[in-house]
Amino acid sequence: MFAAGTLDTLITIQSRTVSQNQIGEAVDTWADTAHTYAHKSSRSGREFYSASRTVAEDAVFFTIRHMDGLDSTMRVLHGSDAYDITAIRYSEKRRESIELQCRKVT
């Protein structure tokens, strides 16, 4: 189990919803699903070539207490930054914690 004091970052988890704009077009919007505390960390990224240019990819990880109903279509808000969830890893001990691997939305 991780120490509760390490969960020092307030995040919002959002799910994608579809609504209609004023002229009836379908528009993706985001709805708050949960507010929770997390531990934020980053790990060294990787570089790869894409369309003749070098692209750097850094992963950001948010560790949270176990929560049901998360999936990779959701995103994390931290301050004014949004992060797409790219992977969800559950702790070895069932229902203890979850690590959300994320990529910053640009």
Side-chain angles (χ1 to χ4, degrees):
M1 182 94 178
F2 53 89
T6 62
L7 303 179
D8 56 357
T9 302
L10 183 61
I11 63 170
T12 301
I13 299 173
Q14 295 184 317
S15 56
R16 186 185 319 263
T17 60
V18 178
S19 61
Q20 289 185 346
N21 64 13
Q22 294 176 345
I23 59 174
E25 297 173 320
V27 177
D28 286 340
T29 57
W30 293 94
D32 293 354
T33 301
H35 302 282
T36 189
Y37 282 93
H39 173 71
K40 180 183 176 187
S41 62
S42 13
R43 300 185 189 144
S44 59
R46 64 183 175 104
E47 288 189 0
F48 58 94
Y49 291 97
S50 173
S52 301
R53 62 189 174 113
T54 302
V55 177
E57 182 180 281
D58 288 322
V60 175
F61 297 85
F62 294 96
T63 303
I64 62 172
R65 294 184 194 279
H66 181 86
M67 180 182 300
D68 290 324
L70 298 178
D71 63 56
S72 60
T73 64
M74 296 176 164
R75 74 177 185 179
V76 172
L77 285 184
H78 175 243
S80 61
D81 295 329
Y83 299 85
D84 286 333
I85 298 174
T86 57
I88 300 172
R89 294 186 184 90
Y90 295 90
S91 66
E92 291 180 14
K93 293 183 178 181
R94 185 168 154 60
R95 304 185 68 78
E96 183 177 286
S97 65
I98 298 174
E99 182 180 67
L100 304 173
Q101 180 178 338
C102 300
R103 179 183 58 237
K104 188 173 181 179
V105 175
T106 53

